[in-house]
């Protein structure tokens, strides 16, 4: 749908598509499904974060209250939070494109 979209538009469209592929018919993810999605689709951003208190807090919240589900908005906030604490973010900031 966004073949001619910008890189940023394509990135957000991809995030929405991945979420939708994992979500239940109501458009939500269980916390266990969310954790699985992060471990399989967001590994490079969460790799090495296991000892950070904020990361542990986020992951432990996914292990608690398993009956609660996560909607797309909460999922995007989760992705942004994990990205901001990621060591990979610093590496990305050091890369300059020539566009």
């Amino acid at each position: 749908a966004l073949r001619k979209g910008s890189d940023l538009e394509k990135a957000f469209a991809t995030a929405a598509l991945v979420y939708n592929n994992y979500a239940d018919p109501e458009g939500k993810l269980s916390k266990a499904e969310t954790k699985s999605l992060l471990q399989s689709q967001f590994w490079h951003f969460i790799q090495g974060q296991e000892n950070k208190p904020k990361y542990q807090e986020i992951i432990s919240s996914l292990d608690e209250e398993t009956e609660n589900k996560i909607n797309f908005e909460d999922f995007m906030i989760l992705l942004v939070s994990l990205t901001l604490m990621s060591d990979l973010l610093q590496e990305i900031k050091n890369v300059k494109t020539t566009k």
Side-chain angles (χ1 to χ4, degrees):
L2 282 175
R3 289 189 186 122
K4 295 182 180 181
S6 70
D7 290 344
L8 187 58
E9 290 170 324
K10 290 175 187 174
F12 274 89
T14 299
L17 288 170
V18 170
Y19 178 89
N20 287 336
N21 285 336
Y22 279 79
D24 66 17
E26 295 174 358
K28 295 186 177 184
L29 289 174
S30 72
K31 289 187 173 190
E33 291 167 328
T34 302
K35 187 174 178 180
S36 175
L37 187 155
L38 292 172
Q39 290 171 335
S40 66
Q41 297 289 320
F42 213 59
W43 175 246
H44 290 96
F45 277 93
I46 62 174
Q47 184 176 348
Q49 305 308 304
E50 297 84 4
N51 294 325
K52 291 184 177 179
K54 185 64 178 171
Y55 176 83
Q56 291 173 351
E57 179 185 327
I58 289 170
I59 295 304
S60 69
S61 74
L62 294 177
D63 291 332
E64 298 170 359
E65 303 174 37
T66 54
E67 69 278 356
N68 290 343
K69 294 194 173 187
I70 294 176
N71 62 25
F72 181 69
E73 291 81 9
D74 291 337
F75 178 73
M76 292 303 289
I77 291 167
L78 180 62
L79 286 184
V80 170
S81 298
L82 291 171
T83 299
L84 290 172
M85 74 175 72
S86 174
D87 296 332
L88 183 58
L89 181 61
Q90 189 56 47
E91 290 179 38
I92 291 168
K93 286 180 178 180
N94 291 333
V95 174
K96 300 288 183 195
T97 60
T98 56
K99 288 186 178 181

